[in-house]
Amino acid sequence: MSEKETTAGRQPADCGSGDAGILEYAGNHENILSCRENAEDQENTERYAAMFREVEALLAEYDKTGGKGRHKIRYSRIDHTKRVYCWMEKLYEAYPEKDSLDADALRIATIFHDCGYCAMADGAAEKLLPGEKHAAVSARLCRGYLEREGFPEETIDFICRLIAQHSNKSLLTKDIPAELLLLLEADLLDDTGLQGIVVDIWMEVAAKEDATFESIIKHIRRFTLGMMRENPMRTAKAREIWKEKRRLTEQFVKKLEEDLEMPEEFNRVLP
């Protein structure tokens, strides 16, 4: 399994379209992997399922609270990982030169990309080193797993570079391996659009006891709409998905603002 070994012919997970389709596959990892159509990939499917179980076990303590101590909300990293995996599969399938990619490395990097959050759980066995962030911990943990499984060093190095760099979204403007590009895009596609609106509402209400519709709209405009104003995606499929997510978000805010203006209309009719 060389650094550029491909897995041409593998059918990606048919995770539906848009936010709703992706969220359908936020269940167990077997559901995500078994939605492939090509039976000859059974061995790889079982291998990836074992990796998901490894990551789920690593994140178990973190996901009990999901970083609640920091943001006052519970966010499941394993569910995020599953959604990113589905986004990655959609982008991989649409990529014009997918046969040139190391799809196996891309899939493994996606599975392990956020497992380093386990170091942030209360009483975590895995500790953050000084100045270390979750991406570095994720790469370190993935390296240990792949070494135990007997992966070639060259392959391990490539996968771990993908993981270590996945949080640096400024790389989207750089000349980077296509595998890293797809991982960056898939990671960004999660928690945006309608899902981003839910997160915005969640965080606004958690932060303010007196949150209002107006304060929530401001939060959405500042965060979800703010970050979606520019389309940072480079692949055609990712740009298309981002554009649709932004359209739905803008439509939601516009309709909500129209609803909230009804009392003013009422006051004009019945002063």
Side-chain angles (χ1 to χ4, degrees):
M1 187 161 40
S2 67
E3 181 169 320
K4 284 297 174 185
E5 178 184 344
T6 64
T7 49
R10 178 181 287 116
Q11 297 297 317
D14 182 9
C15 295
S17 60
D19 293 338
I22 290 299
L23 291 175
E24 287 178 11
Y25 285 85
N28 63 50
H29 16 271
E30 285 76 10
N31 282 349
I32 293 174
L33 298 167
S34 66
C35 58
R36 301 181 189 284
E37 298 173 359
N38 196 336
E40 70 185 30
D41 286 324
Q42 186 60 34
E43 182 178 348
N44 274 335
T45 295
E46 292 173 357
R47 198 161 54 99
Y48 298 141
M51 292 177 187
F52 266 111
R53 288 192 292 271
E54 175 77 9
V55 170
E56 186 170 39
L58 286 169
L59 289 170
E61 284 302 314
Y62 178 89
D63 275 358
K64 284 181 180 178
T65 59
K68 195 171 182 180
R70 180 181 176 190
H71 296 300
K72 299 181 181 179
I73 59 175
R74 182 179 175 273
Y75 184 92
S76 170
R77 279 290 152 190
I78 190 64
D79 284 350
H80 163 74
T81 300
K82 293 169 185 177
R83 293 191 301 266
V84 172
Y85 191 93
C86 278
W87 284 121
M88 175 275 297
E89 288 285 8
K90 290 172 73 69
L91 300 182
Y92 168 75
E93 175 61 14
Y95 193 70
E97 300 174 356
K98 66 179 182 179
D99 289 351
S100 69
L101 302 184
D102 186 339
D104 193 46
L106 173 58
R107 290 187 170 100
I108 295 171
T110 304
I111 293 169
F112 281 90
H113 81 280
D114 266 0
C115 68
Y117 273 94
C118 68
M120 301 177 189
D122 292 338
E126 192 68 34
K127 302 297 183 183
L128 286 169
L129 300 176
E132 195 173 42
K133 298 188 182 299
H134 83 273
V137 182
S138 298
R140 175 154 49 85
L141 291 170
C142 182
R143 180 177 295 277
Y145 178 89
L146 297 179
E147 286 176 348
R148 292 193 299 274
E149 293 297 312
F151 279 68
E153 184 177 353
E154 180 184 30
T155 300
I156 294 173
D157 287 345
F158 182 59
I159 293 170
C160 291
R161 282 199 300 274
L162 298 180
I163 295 171
Q165 295 178 316
H166 86 270
S167 289
N168 186 358
K169 300 306 188 284
S170 68
L171 292 174
L172 281 167
T173 64
K174 311 294 183 183
D175 182 16
I176 56 176
E179 294 88 349
L180 179 57
L181 173 61
L182 295 188
L183 177 55
L184 287 164
E185 289 185 334
D187 196 28
L188 267 177
L189 285 173
D190 194 44
D191 295 342
T192 54
L194 300 184
Q195 190 185 352
I197 288 174
V198 173
V199 173
D200 283 339
I201 296 170
W202 198 3
M203 296 192 72
E204 177 70 8
V205 172
K208 296 180 181 178
E209 292 183 1
D210 58 346
T212 64
F213 282 124
E214 289 75 16
S215 71
I216 287 170
I217 287 177
K218 287 181 180 179
H219 195 116
I220 294 169
R221 285 194 172 281
R222 180 181 177 188
F223 290 95
T224 294
L225 272 182
M227 74 169 288
M228 298 198 77
R229 192 162 287 114
E230 300 295 330
N231 191 333
M233 301 294 155
R234 283 172 48 185
T235 66
K237 185 64 175 178
R239 289 189 65 82
E240 172 193 324
I241 294 169
W242 188 273
K243 183 178 179 180
E244 176 63 7
K245 280 174 165 278
R246 182 175 59 195
R247 184 190 71 79
L248 290 171
T249 303
E250 290 172 344
Q251 184 180 49
F252 174 89
V253 171
K254 180 175 182 293
K255 292 297 184 183
L256 179 57
E257 287 178 332
E258 288 176 0
D259 287 352
L260 295 180
E261 288 173 1
M262 285 183 177
E264 294 183 13
E265 181 180 342
F266 175 88
N267 290 336
R268 287 194 295 270
V269 175
L270 294 172

